[in-house]
Amino acid sequence: MRLSQRLLLGALILVGVLVVVIAVLLDRRLYARITEQTVRELASEARFVATQWTPAVNPDALANTAGAALGHRVTLIDPAGHVTGDSEFDGDALARLENHASRPEVIQARATGMGSARRTSPSEGDQELYVAVRASLGIARVSVATRTLDELFAASRRDVFAAGAIALLAALVLASALARTFSRSIIDLRDVAQAMAAGDLTRRPVLTAPGEVGDLATALHRMAEQLEGRLASLQNEDALLAAVIESLNEGILAVDERQQIIRINEVARQLFAVPEPVPFAADRLPRDRALREALGAALGGAPTGPVEVGIGERTLSLTAEPLPGGGAVLAVYDLTTIRRLETIRRDFVANVSHELRTPLTVVGGFAETLATDDPPPARRKQFAEAIHASTVRMQRIVDDLLDLSRIESGGWRPVPVDADVRAAAAESAAPATATAAAKGVTLEVAVRQDAATVRADPTALRQILGNLIDNAVRHTHAGTVTVFTEAGEGGTWVGVSDTGIGIAPEHLPRIFERFYRVDPARSREAGGTGLGLAIVKHLVDAHGGRVRAESIAGKGTTIAAFFPDTSP
C-alpha cells in the first residue's frame, strides 16, 4: 500500500472514530438535555395550570381547556389523590381512574414542590413522562408521551450523524489533498535517498516542502553536497594512490583481515601470476612457505622482511607490514635481474681472468726464460713468436671487450644505409681466405637477388659477417662456409652456414653469451676469444633486429641476423 493511501486510510479511521465517539457522547448528553428541557417545560406548564386552579373553577373543565391549549395531557389531583380533572378523561371514565396518591411524581411534588417520572401509563397504555407541581388545591400534573421525545431525539440524532458524515467527507477531501502533498514530498526524499545509496549524488530533493519535511529535504540536500565533495576527494586520492602504486617498480598488494586481496598493482600481478580482479582470496597467491609465513606474521601484527623468496624462476625480496585496523601490506621487489647480473659479472670476471691467464703465463714464462737464460737463436725466435702470438691474442680479447662495452653502453649507434651484402661478404671473408684454404674449406657467397641489400651500418655489417665467417671457418674441416641472404617479412636475413662440427642442442641457447664455449679447449686452440657471437648479437640488437641459430651436431651450423627495413 502506498504512503498516500496509508495516510488517507489512517486519517479516515481517525476521523471516523472521532465522529462515532462524538455521536455517542452527543447521543447520551443530547437525550439527557432534551429530557431535562422537556421536564422544565412541562413543569412551567403545570405551574401555569396550578395558578389557574381556584375553588371557583371546575377542575375538569380547567384540565380540558389547558390540555387543549398546551397540547399535552393535564391532570388535576386533590390532596387525597383523587383525580378531579383530566384532559383525556371525562364523566364515568374520570371517576374510574385510580387514586394517584402513590404516584412517584405526586409523592415527590408534595415533598419538594415538583416531581417527575417516566413510566407506562395504566390508563393510556403507552410510556409517558409525568411532571407534577404542588398547587394550593392539590397537585397539577402535565404529561407527554415519550414517543414524542423519541421522535425529537431521533431527529436530533439524524442531524448529528448527518453533520458527522459531512465532516467525514470534508476530512476525506482534506486528508486526501494533504496526504498527496505530504507523500509526494516523502516519495521525492525516498527516491533521492535511494539514488544516493546507489551512488548517484547528482540528485537533489525539492526544497519547497513545508515544515519538518522541508527541513529534512534541506538536510538531505546538504548531506548530498557534502557526500559528493567527500566522494570526489576520496576518488582523487584513490586515483592518485593507484597512479603512485602502479608507477612503482615494486609489486604492492594489500590484504584485509579476512585474508582477501583488496588492492594489487600490475607489477605484483606479473610477479605472482594472478590475473583475477580484486577482491580475491589470498590463497590464490603462490604457495611459497616464506611468503605464507610473512603474510601470516603481518596479519598477526608482526612486520617481516625484507626476506628473499623464490617464486618460480624469479628471486623476490619480500617485505610485509601490518595495517593498524587489521590486514597487511606486502611489498615485493624483483631481484632476478640483479642476481642474474651479479652472476654474469662473476662469470665475466672469472672468464676474463681465465682467458687472459694462459697468454699471460706464456708471455711471462718465455720472457723470464729470455731474461735469465741465453738460449740459441732458433729457440729465442721460437720464444719471441710465442710471446707475440699470446700478445696478439690478449690484444684481440681486449679489443673485443672494448667493442662490446662500447656497444652495450650506447657509446656507439648504427647509421643504417642500404648496404651491399655481396661487397660486405667479400670484404669480411678476405682475412679468413688463407686459413680456409689451409683447412680445405670453401668460402661461398649465395646472395639472393631479392635480398641483395640490407638496411644496416656498413661497418657493423662487415664486423658481423667477419665474426660469423671466422667462427664458421674455425669449426669446419674440409667443408663449405656459405654467406647467404633471405627475404623476410619486414626485413632481410643475412647469415653464415657451415658444414662443420655443429653444436649440441643443449648449448644453442647460450652460444651468444660472452666467453661461452661449447668446447673450451678446442676453441682456444682454434684462436677464438669467446666474444664474437656476443658482439654479433649486440650489433644486431642495436639495429632493432634479432639473431637465430640452428645446428645439427656433426653436420653443421647456421647463424643468421635479421635486419628490419626501417631504422631503429
Side-chain angles (χ1 to χ4, degrees):
M1 185 180 293
R2 299 178 62 84
L3 177 62
S4 59
Q5 296 173 342
R6 292 198 300 269
L7 291 174
L8 180 59
L9 181 59
L12 290 178
I13 292 174
L14 178 62
V15 173
V17 170
L18 290 176
V19 168
V20 171
V21 171
I22 291 173
V24 171
L25 293 177
L26 286 178
D27 187 69
R28 294 181 178 179
R29 294 179 66 85
L30 182 62
Y31 191 82
R33 289 290 181 88
I34 291 175
T35 301
E36 182 181 352
Q37 182 65 27
T38 303
V39 169
R40 283 199 298 269
E41 291 177 358
L42 293 177
S44 298
E45 294 175 0
R47 290 189 185 95
F48 175 75
V49 173
T51 60
Q52 301 297 320
W53 188 15
T54 62
V57 177
N58 185 347
D60 188 46
L62 176 60
N64 291 334
T65 303
L70 298 175
H72 299 146
R73 180 185 176 185
V74 177
T75 303
L76 298 176
I77 305 167
D78 64 13
H82 298 109
V83 178
T84 60
D86 195 308
S87 61
E88 299 293 334
F89 298 95
D90 293 314
D92 295 337
L94 179 65
R96 290 194 297 268
L97 292 177
E98 296 177 356
N99 190 291
H100 283 42
S102 62
R103 296 292 193 265
E105 67 274 8
V106 175
I107 295 173
Q108 188 177 4
R110 286 173 177 171
T112 63
M114 188 194 78
S116 63
R118 182 194 293 267
R119 69 177 185 278
T120 301
S121 173
S123 58
E124 295 290 337
D126 58 353
Q127 194 174 51
E128 299 276 338
L129 175 63
Y130 297 97
V131 177
V133 297
R134 186 170 55 199
S136 59
L137 299 178
I139 299 297
R141 188 184 71 178
V142 180
S143 63
V144 63
T146 59
R147 181 178 64 255
T148 304
L149 293 177
D150 293 338
E151 291 175 356
L152 179 61
F153 177 71
S156 300
R157 179 185 292 170
R158 285 193 298 271
D159 293 341
V160 169
F161 279 106
I166 294 173
L168 185 63
L169 181 61
L172 174 63
V173 175
L174 293 176
S176 178
L178 291 175
R180 283 197 300 270
T181 303
F182 184 73
S183 65
R184 190 181 301 115
S185 301
I186 295 298
I187 290 173
D188 179 64
L189 294 178
R190 180 204 64 187
D191 294 340
V192 172
Q194 289 178 345
M196 291 171 59
D200 182 11
L201 298 180
T202 59
R203 292 283 300 275
R204 294 292 186 273
V206 179
L207 300 180
T208 58
E212 290 79 2
V213 177
D215 296 339
L216 179 60
T218 302
L220 194 61
H221 184 91
R222 293 176 180 173
M223 184 177 69
E225 290 181 343
Q226 293 178 359
L227 286 177
E228 186 175 17
R230 293 178 181 178
L231 182 60
S233 177
L234 289 176
Q235 289 175 342
N236 292 334
E237 291 180 2
D238 187 70
L240 176 61
L241 178 61
V244 171
I245 291 176
E246 290 297 336
S247 66
L248 296 176
N249 291 328
E250 290 181 306
I252 301 294
L253 59 89
V255 187
D256 63 12
E257 64 277 4
R258 296 179 294 109
Q259 297 193 20
Q260 293 286 315
I261 306 299
I262 57 176
R263 185 181 288 275
I264 181 171
N265 65 354
E266 187 60 30
V267 175
R269 287 186 180 277
Q270 294 176 0
L271 294 178
F272 290 141
V274 283
E276 289 85 353
V278 293
F280 59 89
D283 291 339
R284 297 293 300 166
L285 298 177
R287 295 187 177 279
D288 180 81
R289 180 177 179 180
L291 172 62
R292 299 288 175 165
E293 290 178 351
L295 178 59
L299 291 175
T304 302
V307 295
E308 287 193 16
V309 296
I311 306 295
E313 297 181 355
R314 297 179 182 272
T315 301
L316 307 178
S317 175
L318 174 66
T319 302
E321 291 289 339
L323 293 176
V329 173
L330 274 68
V332 185
Y333 187 72
D334 190 0
L335 298 176
T336 305
T337 302
I338 295 175
R339 295 295 180 259
R340 183 174 59 84
L341 291 176
E342 290 176 352
T343 301
I344 292 174
R345 178 181 57 81
R346 289 193 300 268
D347 292 345
F348 176 75
V349 173
N351 288 330
V352 169
S353 301
H354 188 72
E355 292 293 333
L356 293 177
R357 182 183 296 118
T358 299
L360 283 174
T361 300
V362 172
V363 170
F366 287 137
E368 183 180 0
T369 300
L370 291 174
T372 59
D373 197 1
D374 187 16
R379 183 58 62 86
R380 284 201 302 271
K381 180 179 180 181
Q382 181 181 359
F383 289 172
E385 290 176 350
I387 291 173
H388 180 264
S390 296
T391 304
V392 170
R393 175 171 173 76
M394 287 189 293
Q395 184 64 47
R396 287 183 58 191
I397 293 175
V398 172
D399 291 343
D400 285 349
L401 286 173
L402 291 175
D403 288 343
L404 192 59
S405 175
R406 185 162 52 92
I407 296 169
E408 287 182 333
S409 65
W412 173 87
R413 294 186 178 277
V415 182
V417 297
D418 292 333
D420 187 344
V421 179
R422 287 190 179 90
E427 186 176 348
S428 301
T433 302
T435 304
K439 299 178 65 175
V441 175
T442 302
L443 297 177
E444 295 181 354
V445 177
V447 176
R448 295 177 53 171
Q449 190 61 35
D450 60 346
T453 60
V454 295
R455 190 73 178 169
D457 185 289
T459 301
L461 179 61
R462 289 192 296 271
Q463 188 172 4
I464 291 169
L465 289 174
N467 283 334
L468 293 179
I469 292 171
D470 179 70
N471 200 56
V473 169
R474 282 190 289 106
H475 295 89
T476 303
H477 303 286
T480 303
V481 173
T482 304
V483 178
F484 67 91
T485 60
E486 293 177 2
E489 184 177 353
T492 304
W493 287 96
V494 178
V496 175
S497 63
D498 61 59
T499 58
I501 60 176
I503 303 172
E506 64 269 19
H507 295 292
L508 276 178
R510 300 190 60 188
I511 62 174
F512 293 101
E513 295 180 10
R514 287 171 290 189
F515 295 114
Y516 185 80
R517 300 176 184 273
V518 176
D519 187 348
R522 182 176 296 179
S523 297
R524 292 189 182 93
E525 290 174 0
T529 63
L531 297 171
L533 291 181
I535 293 174
V536 169
K537 183 179 185 304
H538 281 80
L539 288 174
V540 175
D541 289 343
H543 285 78
R546 59 186 184 275
V547 294
R548 75 175 187 223
E550 302 170 352
S551 182
I552 299 176
K555 293 186 177 181
T557 302
T558 298
I559 298 177
F562 179 77
F563 293 90
D565 291 336
T566 57
S567 303

Coordinates of all heavy atoms in Angstrom, one line a residue, residues 279-315:
P279 N 38.1 -8.0 -5.3 CA 38.9 -8.8 -4.3 C 38.9 -10.3 -4.6 O 38.0 -10.8 -5.2 CB 38.1 -8.5 -3.0 CG 36.7 -8.4 -3.5 CD 36.8 -7.7 -4.8
F280 N 40.0 -10.9 -4.1 CA 40.1 -12.4 -4.3 C 40.9 -12.9 -3.1 O 41.6 -12.2 -2.4 CB 40.8 -12.8 -5.6 CG 42.2 -12.3 -5.8 CD1 43.3 -13.0 -5.3 CD2 42.4 -11.1 -6.4 CE1 44.5 -12.6 -5.5 CE2 43.7 -10.6 -6.6 CZ 44.7 -11.4 -6.2
A281 N 40.7 -14.2 -2.8 CA 41.3 -14.8 -1.6 C 42.8 -14.9 -1.7 O 43.4 -15.0 -2.8 CB 40.8 -16.2 -1.4
A282 N 43.5 -14.7 -0.6 CA 45.0 -14.8 -0.5 C 45.5 -16.2 -0.9 O 46.7 -16.3 -1.2 CB 45.5 -14.4 0.9
D283 N 44.6 -17.1 -0.8 CA 45.0 -18.5 -1.2 C 45.4 -18.6 -2.7 O 46.1 -19.5 -3.1 CB 43.9 -19.5 -1.0 CG 43.7 -19.7 0.5 OD1 44.6 -19.4 1.3 OD2 42.6 -20.2 0.9
R284 N 45.0 -17.6 -3.5 CA 45.4 -17.6 -4.9 C 46.8 -17.2 -5.1 O 47.4 -17.3 -6.2 CB 44.5 -16.6 -5.7 CG 43.0 -16.9 -5.6 CD 42.7 -18.2 -6.4 NE 43.1 -18.1 -7.8 CZ 43.3 -19.1 -8.6 NH1 43.1 -20.3 -8.2 NH2 43.6 -18.9 -9.9
L285 N 47.5 -16.7 -4.1 CA 48.9 -16.4 -4.2 C 49.7 -17.6 -4.3 O 49.3 -18.7 -3.9 CB 49.4 -15.5 -3.0 CG 48.7 -14.1 -2.9 CD1 49.2 -13.5 -1.6 CD2 48.9 -13.3 -4.1
P286 N 51.0 -17.5 -4.8 CA 51.8 -18.8 -4.9 C 52.0 -19.4 -3.5 O 52.1 -18.7 -2.5 CB 53.1 -18.2 -5.4 CG 52.8 -17.0 -6.2 CD 51.6 -16.4 -5.4
R287 N 52.0 -20.7 -3.5 CA 52.2 -21.5 -2.3 C 53.6 -21.6 -1.9 O 54.2 -22.7 -1.9 CB 51.5 -22.9 -2.4 CG 50.0 -22.7 -2.6 CD 49.3 -24.1 -2.6 NE 47.9 -23.9 -2.8 CZ 47.0 -23.6 -1.8 NH1 47.5 -23.4 -0.6 NH2 45.7 -23.5 -2.0
D288 N 54.2 -20.5 -1.6 CA 55.6 -20.5 -1.1 C 55.6 -20.3 0.4 O 54.9 -19.5 1.0 CB 56.4 -19.3 -1.7 CG 57.8 -19.3 -1.2 OD1 58.6 -20.0 -1.8 OD2 58.1 -18.5 -0.3
R289 N 56.4 -21.2 1.1 CA 56.3 -21.2 2.6 C 56.8 -19.8 3.2 O 56.1 -19.3 4.1 CB 57.3 -22.3 3.1 CG 57.3 -22.4 4.6 CD 58.2 -23.5 5.1 NE 58.2 -23.6 6.5 CZ 58.9 -24.5 7.2 NH1 59.6 -25.5 6.5 NH2 58.9 -24.5 8.5
A290 N 57.8 -19.3 2.6 CA 58.3 -18.0 3.2 C 57.3 -16.9 3.0 O 57.0 -16.0 3.9 CB 59.6 -17.6 2.6
L291 N 56.6 -16.9 1.8 CA 55.6 -15.9 1.5 C 54.4 -16.1 2.5 O 53.9 -15.1 3.1 CB 55.1 -16.1 0.1 CG 53.9 -15.2 -0.3 CD1 54.2 -13.8 -0.2 CD2 53.5 -15.6 -1.8
R292 N 54.0 -17.3 2.7 CA 52.8 -17.6 3.6 C 53.2 -17.2 5.1 O 52.4 -16.6 5.8 CB 52.4 -19.0 3.6 CG 52.0 -19.5 2.2 CD 50.7 -18.9 1.8 NE 50.3 -19.3 0.5 CZ 49.1 -19.2 0.0 NH1 48.1 -18.7 0.8 NH2 48.8 -19.5 -1.3
E293 N 54.4 -17.5 5.5 CA 54.8 -17.1 6.9 C 54.9 -15.6 7.1 O 54.4 -15.1 8.1 CB 56.2 -17.8 7.2 CG 56.1 -19.3 7.3 CD 57.5 -19.9 7.6 OE1 58.5 -19.1 7.5 OE2 57.5 -21.1 7.9
A294 N 55.4 -14.9 6.0 CA 55.5 -13.4 6.2 C 54.1 -12.8 6.2 O 53.8 -11.9 7.0 CB 56.3 -12.9 5.0
L295 N 53.2 -13.3 5.4 CA 51.8 -12.8 5.3 C 51.1 -13.1 6.7 O 50.4 -12.3 7.2 CB 51.0 -13.5 4.2 CG 49.6 -13.1 4.0 CD1 49.4 -11.5 3.9 CD2 48.9 -13.8 2.9
G296 N 51.3 -14.4 7.2 CA 50.6 -14.7 8.5 C 51.2 -13.9 9.6 O 50.4 -13.4 10.5
A297 N 52.5 -13.6 9.6 CA 53.0 -12.8 10.7 C 52.5 -11.3 10.6 O 52.2 -10.7 11.6 CB 54.6 -12.8 10.6
A298 N 52.4 -10.8 9.4 CA 51.9 -9.4 9.3 C 50.5 -9.3 9.7 O 50.0 -8.3 10.3 CB 52.1 -8.9 7.8
L299 N 49.7 -10.3 9.3 CA 48.3 -10.3 9.7 C 48.1 -10.4 11.2 O 47.1 -10.0 11.8 CB 47.5 -11.4 9.0 CG 47.3 -11.3 7.5 CD1 46.6 -12.6 6.9 CD2 46.4 -10.1 7.2
G300 N 49.1 -11.1 11.8 CA 49.1 -11.2 13.3 C 49.7 -10.0 14.0 O 49.7 -9.9 15.2
G301 N 50.2 -9.0 13.2 CA 50.7 -7.7 13.8 C 52.2 -7.6 13.9 O 52.7 -6.6 14.4
A302 N 52.9 -8.6 13.3 CA 54.4 -8.5 13.4 C 54.9 -8.2 12.0 O 54.6 -9.0 11.0 CB 54.9 -9.8 13.9
P303 N 55.7 -7.2 11.8 CA 56.3 -6.9 10.5 C 57.4 -7.9 10.1 O 58.0 -8.5 11.0 CB 56.9 -5.5 10.6 CG 57.2 -5.4 12.1 CD 56.1 -6.2 12.8
T304 N 57.6 -8.1 8.8 CA 58.5 -9.1 8.3 C 59.3 -8.5 7.2 O 58.7 -7.8 6.3 CB 57.8 -10.4 7.9 OG1 57.0 -10.9 8.9 CG2 58.8 -11.4 7.4
G305 N 60.6 -8.8 7.2 CA 61.4 -8.5 6.0 C 62.4 -7.5 6.2 O 62.6 -7.0 7.3
P306 N 63.2 -7.3 5.1 CA 63.0 -7.9 3.8 C 63.6 -9.3 3.8 O 64.7 -9.5 4.4 CB 63.7 -7.0 2.8 CG 64.7 -6.3 3.6 CD 64.2 -6.2 5.0
V307 N 62.9 -10.3 3.2 CA 63.4 -11.6 3.0 C 63.4 -12.0 1.5 O 62.5 -11.5 0.8 CB 62.6 -12.6 3.9 CG1 62.7 -12.4 5.3 CG2 61.1 -12.6 3.5
E308 N 64.3 -12.9 1.1 CA 64.3 -13.3 -0.3 C 63.5 -14.6 -0.4 O 63.7 -15.5 0.4 CB 65.7 -13.5 -0.8 CG 66.5 -12.3 -1.0 CD 67.8 -12.5 -1.8 OE1 67.9 -13.6 -2.4 OE2 68.6 -11.6 -1.8
V309 N 62.6 -14.7 -1.4 CA 61.9 -15.9 -1.7 C 62.0 -16.2 -3.1 O 62.2 -15.3 -4.0 CB 60.4 -15.7 -1.3 CG1 60.2 -15.4 0.2 CG2 59.8 -14.5 -2.1
G310 N 61.9 -17.5 -3.4 CA 62.0 -17.9 -4.8 C 60.6 -18.3 -5.3 O 60.0 -19.2 -4.8
I311 N 60.1 -17.6 -6.3 CA 58.8 -17.8 -6.9 C 59.0 -18.2 -8.3 O 59.3 -17.4 -9.1 CB 57.8 -16.6 -6.8 CG1 57.7 -16.1 -5.4 CG2 56.5 -17.0 -7.4 CD1 57.0 -17.1 -4.4
G312 N 58.9 -19.5 -8.6 CA 59.2 -20.0 -9.9 C 60.6 -19.8 -10.3 O 61.5 -20.2 -9.5
E313 N 60.9 -19.1 -11.3 CA 62.3 -18.8 -11.7 C 62.7 -17.4 -11.3 O 63.8 -16.9 -11.7 CB 62.4 -18.9 -13.3 CG 62.1 -20.3 -13.8 CD 62.3 -20.3 -15.3 OE1 62.5 -19.3 -15.9 OE2 62.2 -21.4 -15.9
R314 N 61.9 -16.8 -10.5 CA 62.3 -15.4 -10.0 C 62.8 -15.4 -8.6 O 62.3 -16.3 -7.8 CB 61.0 -14.5 -10.1 CG 60.5 -14.3 -11.5 CD 59.3 -13.4 -11.5 NE 58.7 -13.2 -12.8 CZ 59.1 -12.2 -13.6 NH1 60.1 -11.4 -13.3 NH2 58.5 -12.1 -14.8
T315 N 63.6 -14.5 -8.3 CA 64.1 -14.2 -6.9 C 63.5 -12.9 -6.5 O 63.7 -11.9 -7.1 CB 65.6 -14.2 -6.8 OG1 66.1 -15.4 -7.3 CG2 66.1 -14.0 -5.4

